[in-house]
Amino acid sequence: MTETFTLNDGNTIPGVGFGVFLIPADGSTYAAVKEAIAAGYRHIDTAQVYLNEKEVGQAIADSGISREEIFVTTKLWLQDYAYDLAVKGLETSLAKLGLDYIDLVLLHQPYGEVHDAWRALEDFKAAGKIKSIGVSNMTPKLWQKFVPNFMTLPAVNQVELHPYSQQKELRQLLAKDNVLLEAWGPLGQGDAKLLSDPLIVSLAKKYGKDAGQIILRFENQEGIIVLPKSTKPERIKSNLDIFDFTLTDEEMEVLQNLDKGQGKHDPDAPGVGEWLLSNYDIHAFDE
């Protein structure tokens, strides 16, 4: 696989992005994004609920890299899915990021007034303020519930994905419409068992790579966009250094067989949307 993928709307997306989930907005996000851009990342993935869009935007502005070269993703929080609130939320993200347009905006969670929010994304795309639109955390069941009623097909679906949870049913469903999967938690959120899996460790020795690089390369060769996250400069660099080797067909097959078919997060579980709404208020600190 190459270092970029083409989305079903014709836009191009870098195959490796830098995620900023749980990096605080106390200067840490700014420093990490500056580090990532200096290391060669050209795809930054944030979200309204991460509360660090402003530092992401500042780091991009101060990077010395032209805006067109950097692919920026943010995500609309389900608290603001009603159409008018979604419009206001998207304008707020543009302002916080300090951008004229955002490359990709996702509906962060598939609950509540999803159709209203999607319409707002479509309108912003039509106005040129968003280049591509997509969804996140949609299982096959949730996809079938919402997407058939959308006017525009999502370009991506960002979900939990790693070798122990490979989302095979979902990938089969999305393949017919060329919808790409983005992996959050592509390293199993630092899962020690995954990173010390004997098969992965043996491949790391063979290729002179670390376990994380083997996992990310496997996912990349599977056609998945990966969003590893780290605040450690050496790890930021190594997570991007996966394009100088290629796993064989046999190695890919053995890695495919590691799939346990279950991740840590189950979007289909009852009450998830309500729990998220009651636990995450993105306006609590509004000025």
Side-chain angles (χ1 to χ4, degrees):
M1 278 297 165
T2 59
E3 294 185 32
T4 60
F5 297 104
T6 302
L7 299 171
N8 60 14
D9 60 11
N11 292 323
T12 302
I13 186 169
V16 182
F18 183 70
V20 296
F21 176 54
L22 291 182
I23 305 182
D26 58 1
S28 305
T29 298
Y30 177 83
V33 174
K34 278 289 291 287
E35 186 76 43
I37 293 172
Y41 287 83
R42 294 296 179 264
H43 177 181
I44 311 295
D45 181 276
T46 185
Q48 293 176 344
V49 77
Y50 301 171
L51 302 176
N52 56 17
E53 288 174 309
K54 196 167 184 181
E55 289 198 15
V56 168
Q58 196 59 55
I60 291 167
D62 294 348
S63 69
I65 305 295
S66 72
R67 167 68 186 98
E68 293 71 28
E69 287 183 51
I70 300 183
F71 191 102
V72 181
T73 300
T74 195
K75 309 174 195 82
L76 188 69
W77 189 237
L78 77 167
Q79 187 177 354
D80 288 348
Y81 277 9
Y83 182 85
D84 291 347
L85 292 175
V87 167
K88 189 179 174 188
L90 292 168
E91 292 289 6
T92 300
S93 282
L94 281 161
K96 284 184 176 174
L97 289 162
L99 302 176
D100 295 327
Y101 69 90
I102 303 169
D103 297 276
L104 174 65
V105 178
L106 310 180
L107 296 187
H108 204 157
Q109 301 290 346
Y111 314 103
E113 297 172 76
V114 169
H115 291 109
D116 270 9
W118 188 252
R119 195 160 52 86
L121 262 57
E122 290 175 325
D123 288 349
F124 269 64
K125 185 176 189 292
K129 293 180 178 182
I130 300 172
K131 300 291 187 188
S132 297
I133 56 179
V135 296
S136 183
N137 294 304
M138 275 201 183
T139 61
K141 185 177 167 187
L142 287 159
W143 182 273
Q144 299 285 31
K145 178 181 177 182
F146 292 114
V147 177
N149 298 311
F150 287 177
M151 292 280 289
T152 310
L153 263 176
V156 303
N157 183 11
Q158 185 180 125
V159 296
E160 178 185 9
L161 188 149
H162 49 78
Y164 287 172
S165 178
Q166 295 184 31
Q167 300 279 6
K168 289 178 180 174
E169 184 193 350
L170 182 62
R171 285 160 64 190
Q172 203 172 352
L173 173 67
L174 303 192
K176 67 182 191 305
D177 292 316
N178 298 313
V179 178
L180 294 187
L181 245 65
E182 291 189 304
W184 64 254
L187 301 173
Q189 295 176 299
D191 182 350
K193 199 172 176 187
L194 174 64
L195 292 167
S196 61
D197 188 287
L199 172 64
I200 292 167
V201 170
S202 70
L203 287 171
K205 281 182 185 156
K206 173 185 170 180
Y207 287 104
K209 294 287 180 180
D210 62 37
Q213 290 168 313
I214 296 297
I215 292 168
L216 294 171
R217 184 57 169 151
F218 163 66
E219 292 159 350
N220 173 263
Q221 286 183 226
E222 287 276 274
I224 291 152
I225 300 153
V226 294
L227 303 166
K229 186 209 91 177
S230 182
T231 53
K232 298 173 182 168
E234 67 279 5
R235 182 66 61 197
I236 289 171
K237 288 188 183 77
S238 68
N239 285 340
L240 191 61
D241 184 22
I242 62 167
F243 296 105
D244 58 352
F245 71 105
T246 303
L247 298 164
T248 67
D249 291 346
E250 293 77 14
E251 288 163 351
M252 291 293 290
E253 192 176 336
V254 183
L255 287 164
Q256 286 161 0
N257 291 334
L258 291 178
D259 187 28
K260 301 179 192 297
Q262 192 177 358
K264 294 174 185 173
H265 176 56
D266 179 10
D268 289 330
V272 175
E274 292 82 355
W275 184 88
L276 288 165
L277 270 176
S278 61
N279 282 273
Y280 296 95
D281 177 5
I282 64 168
H283 300 304
F285 304 105
D286 282 358
E287 292 166 8

